């Protein structure tokens, strides 16, 4: 598996060579189309990002009594701002971590319209692997350092570092909600070259 940085995403037509190579051209028996994200998706992602950011900041402030100490609170805000900028620079690492479960080539794009980056890999995967794929960057860059920083005062900086790392996964969490809502356990997900994402329940012979 190779990772390709493709620059700015300009639409589906730019990926035709990739789609031809990796997408399914015929549907699986009993396949059901996965609903697309609804209108204002990127606005919802950024609002969700803000909510997560504020929530985890508040948790850390309570843990280290920063709510009542104005000098420490200012220091916290400055360090948090620095780490937020750092995580913006680390977005390529976030996307690379999404690819660890991929066997085929992955393509990383910048999407200015959504103020984000994303990785395109459309090989067939199980629901469980897709969810783990969505979560993995937020676990490594967010949840694990946050828990360490929350438990051990000497690693408080890790907790602050982790806040934007957790929030950066807002779009991933929304995709997980979509998968949990529409796709049953045991299903596999694939991308059809013309019609988008589908899920189906594999036959027993395919599982063996």
């Amino acid at each position: 598996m190779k990772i390709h940085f493709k620059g700015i995403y300009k639409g589906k037509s730019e990926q035709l060579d990739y789609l031809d190579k990796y997408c399914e051209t015929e549907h699986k028996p009993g396949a059901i189309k996965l609903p697309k994200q609804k209108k204002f998706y990127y606005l919802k992602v950024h609002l969700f990002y803000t909510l997560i950011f504020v929530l985890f900041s508040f948790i850390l402030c309570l843990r280290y009594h920063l709510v009542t100490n104005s000098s420490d609170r200012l220091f916290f805000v400055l360090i948090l701002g620095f780490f937020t900028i750092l995580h913006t620079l680390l977005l390529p690492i976030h996307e690379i971590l999404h690819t660890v479960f991929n066997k085929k080539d992955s393509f990383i794009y910048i999407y200015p319209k959504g103020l984000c980056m994303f990785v395109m890999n459309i090989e067939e995967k199980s629901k469980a692997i897709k969810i783990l794929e969505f979560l993995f960057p937020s676990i490594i860059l967010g949840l694990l350092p946050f828990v360490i920083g929350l438990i051990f005062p000497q690693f408080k900086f890790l907790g602050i570092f982790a806040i934007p790392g957790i929030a950066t996964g807002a779009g991933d969490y929304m995709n997980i909600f979509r998968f949990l809502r529409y796709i049953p356990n045991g299903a596999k997900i694939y991308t059809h070259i013309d019609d988008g994402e589908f899920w189906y329940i594999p036959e027993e012979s395919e599982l063996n």
Side-chain angles (χ1 to χ4, degrees):
M1 188 271 289
K2 293 182 180 180
I3 299 172
H4 306 270
F5 287 90
K6 301 290 285 185
I8 296 176
Y9 179 74
K10 298 177 181 177
K12 182 178 177 181
S13 60
E14 184 180 298
Q15 282 76 51
L16 285 180
D17 57 336
Y18 174 81
L19 295 174
D20 286 342
K21 187 174 182 180
Y22 292 117
C23 282
E24 295 287 342
T25 56
E26 296 183 4
H27 283 298
K28 304 287 185 178
I32 297 175
K33 186 174 178 63
L34 182 64
K36 294 182 178 180
Q37 297 287 4
K38 296 181 180 179
K39 291 182 178 180
F40 307 113
Y41 168 69
Y42 288 104
L43 175 60
K44 292 176 183 177
V45 168
H46 292 301
L47 290 174
F48 193 28
Y49 174 99
T50 303
L51 177 63
I52 296 168
F53 193 96
V54 171
L55 175 62
F56 281 87
S57 297
F58 185 68
I59 292 171
L60 210 61
C61 283
L62 288 179
R63 169 66 176 88
Y64 292 109
H65 310 291
L66 300 177
V67 176
T68 56
N69 191 320
S70 59
S71 60
D72 286 350
R73 189 165 63 245
L74 176 60
F75 182 70
F76 170 79
V77 170
L78 292 174
I79 295 300
L80 182 57
F82 169 77
F83 282 140
T84 300
I85 295 171
L86 180 61
H87 271 281
T88 302
L89 299 176
L90 289 176
L91 276 176
I93 304 301
H94 178 101
E95 299 305 327
I96 287 171
L97 289 172
H98 277 309
T99 71
V100 298
F101 301 99
N102 296 340
K103 298 177 182 179
K104 299 178 181 178
D105 289 7
S106 299
F107 296 77
I108 295 176
Y109 291 88
I110 301 169
Y111 189 45
K113 183 178 178 181
L115 299 176
C116 65
M117 298 181 70
F118 68 91
V119 61
M120 182 178 283
N121 178 282
I122 46 185
E123 62 191 83
E124 182 179 300
K125 295 188 180 79
S126 69
K127 174 184 174 181
I129 292 297
K130 288 289 286 187
I131 289 175
L132 184 57
E133 183 181 87
F134 285 133
L135 281 175
F136 192 66
S138 296
I139 292 172
I140 300 300
L141 297 175
L143 186 60
L144 286 179
F146 186 82
V147 170
I148 293 171
L150 199 64
I151 296 173
F152 303 105
Q154 63 269 38
F155 297 118
K156 176 167 53 179
F157 280 94
L158 275 180
I160 303 173
F161 166 83
I163 291 169
I166 296 171
T168 300
D172 299 322
Y173 310 145
M174 289 181 68
N175 275 316
I176 290 171
F177 297 152
R178 185 168 62 114
F179 276 39
L180 292 175
R181 179 179 180 183
Y182 293 110
I183 303 177
N185 293 334
K188 288 192 173 183
I189 298 99
Y190 70 93
T191 301
H192 188 272
I193 192 166
D194 295 317
D195 299 329
E197 290 180 299
F198 286 76
W199 64 266
Y200 73 102
I201 302 295
E203 298 178 0
E204 289 187 11
S205 58
E206 295 182 64
L207 298 174
N208 297 329

